[in-house]
Amino acid sequence: YVSGIETEISFCFINDQFVAGFYQFTPERSRYDAKDFVKDFDNISVRLQSKYEMARNDVWYKNNINVDLMGIDFYLLTGDVDLKEDGFDEGKLISHSLRNSEGSIKHIVMYASSEFVKKIENSVENEF
């Protein structure tokens, strides 16, 4: 458990060096609704912002005119928005996201070294 939320944690090492950590919150989603995920996202966001300078960059796939009326959880459930914030601290990327992909809501925090991010970018470029 991290911040009272059931969490799966993974660490990535390259040549015995820690390069990334992944936290997937509430992996068993069957007993949660979208409002619970948004509350958890906000809770983790407050904790991250107390340690790092995080910039919120939500991704909207459809018009969000009625967000105050419908609530952001409605748009998350329908897959019309991904909640996202990123920050940098001492050479590492901190990425926090909440998204609905193919009917499954995923809440993830990733810490990655700049070297790891570069390796991923190079790998993706080489694939194409």
Side-chain angles (χ1 to χ4, degrees):
Y1 286 81
V2 173
S3 295
I5 305 168
E6 183 181 355
T7 307
E8 288 182 356
I9 303 170
S10 302
F11 298 107
C12 181
F13 295 87
I14 297 176
N15 296 328
D16 295 327
Q17 293 277 34
F18 173 76
V19 294
F22 303 90
Y23 298 76
Q24 181 178 345
F25 299 99
T26 319
E28 293 292 325
R29 71 176 289 274
S30 60
R31 62 184 182 274
Y32 295 89
D33 67 23
K35 284 184 183 189
D36 292 329
F37 278 99
V38 171
K39 286 179 190 174
D40 289 346
F41 181 88
D42 291 341
N43 178 32
I44 297 298
S45 179
V46 167
R47 293 176 184 266
L48 288 170
Q49 290 176 23
S50 73
K51 292 178 74 174
Y52 311 108
E53 193 171 316
M54 303 293 288
R56 184 81 178 251
N57 298 304
D58 295 344
V59 178
W60 286 92
Y61 300 103
K62 292 196 178 173
N63 193 331
N64 62 352
I65 287 176
N66 294 322
V67 73
D68 291 334
L69 175 65
M70 299 302 289
I72 201 155
D73 55 299
F74 171 81
Y75 291 98
L76 174 66
L77 191 60
T78 58
D80 294 333
V81 67
D82 293 342
L83 307 184
K84 187 170 176 9
E85 61 183 349
D86 297 303
F88 294 92
D89 183 62
E90 298 179 8
K92 70 179 171 250
L93 165 70
I94 302 102
S95 181
H96 181 209
S97 65
L98 180 64
R99 63 188 181 92
N100 184 342
S101 178
E102 298 178 9
S104 180
I105 297 176
K106 302 287 185 203
H107 182 191
I108 296 171
V109 169
M110 177 187 74
Y111 291 87
S113 68
S114 57
E115 296 84 14
F116 183 71
V117 171
K118 287 176 189 168
K119 284 184 185 283
I120 298 266
E121 288 172 349
N122 289 339
S123 175
V124 170
E125 287 176 14
N126 291 335
E127 290 296 319
F128 294 105

